[in-house]
Amino acid sequence: MPYSILLYASRKPGVTPEQFKAHYDGTHVPLVRELTGAYFPLSHTRRYLHRSENQADGNTARNRSTPATVIMGTQEDFDYDAVAELTFEDEAAFQTFYGIVQQPENAAKIAADEENFLDRSRLTVVVVGNTSETRRLGRSYET
């Protein structure tokens, strides 16, 4: 049974949303892939919050000039920058991956890289429970 975790990641002060994404996608994920090899997750999906250049009342101190595009809720509800879902074959595969990234030499390399773009004090991680998906019914719009 697939096993997934969600990470809620926030950029380090002074790092723009574009710099955060570029570093996460272009440096951090390849580093973790290199360190974990065959034990890298089946997938590592990153979803970045849409942010605009806009100073307005209600913006948070962390995102004073780059508020999230909020449809419901407040800026405080969306003070993180990315949600990442890591999916593994099963819990045992996750535990193996986690053991590898926690090895002192690997943990030091990962922490050193995270200092370049990530506010580690705000990083939170949770295990995903049951997942349900509903897809649209009807015509296919493929050509």
Side-chain angles (χ1 to χ4, degrees):
M1 172 179 223
Y3 187 86
S4 296
I5 61 171
L6 295 177
L7 290 89
Y8 292 84
S10 299
R11 67 187 191 280
K12 185 176 182 174
V15 173
T16 68
E18 295 78 15
Q19 291 168 331
F20 177 81
K21 181 183 183 307
H23 192 92
Y24 197 170
D25 290 347
T27 302
H28 190 69
V29 171
L31 171 65
V32 174
R33 178 182 269 170
E34 177 185 322
L35 294 174
T36 59
Y39 300 102
F40 188 78
L42 291 172
S43 64
H44 185 304
T45 303
R46 293 159 309 283
R47 292 181 170 86
Y48 297 92
L49 273 64
H50 181 267
R51 296 196 175 278
S52 60
E53 296 288 329
N54 179 16
Q55 291 197 11
D57 291 338
N59 291 0
T60 64
R62 290 192 76 260
N63 290 297
R64 188 169 319 284
S65 63
T66 54
T69 305
V70 177
I71 295 171
M72 290 182 77
T74 66
Q75 287 298 320
E76 290 82 14
D77 296 332
F78 300 97
D79 220 16
Y80 53 89
D81 292 283
V83 178
E85 182 175 9
L86 284 67
T87 301
F88 300 85
E89 291 89 343
D90 52 29
E91 185 175 358
F94 165 74
Q95 293 298 338
T96 301
F97 167 84
Y98 193 66
I100 292 169
V101 299
Q102 291 299 305
Q103 291 172 355
E105 184 177 320
N106 293 338
K109 288 178 182 178
I110 291 169
D113 182 58
E114 289 175 346
E115 286 299 321
N116 293 312
F117 75 109
L118 186 70
D119 183 344
R120 298 183 78 207
S121 71
R122 297 180 49 84
L123 182 66
T124 56
V125 183
V126 66
V127 174
V128 174
N130 293 329
T131 300
S132 299
E133 180 179 16
T134 304
R135 292 181 178 250
R136 177 177 36 178
L137 299 175
R139 289 179 38 186
S140 169
Y141 292 97
E142 295 178 7
T143 57

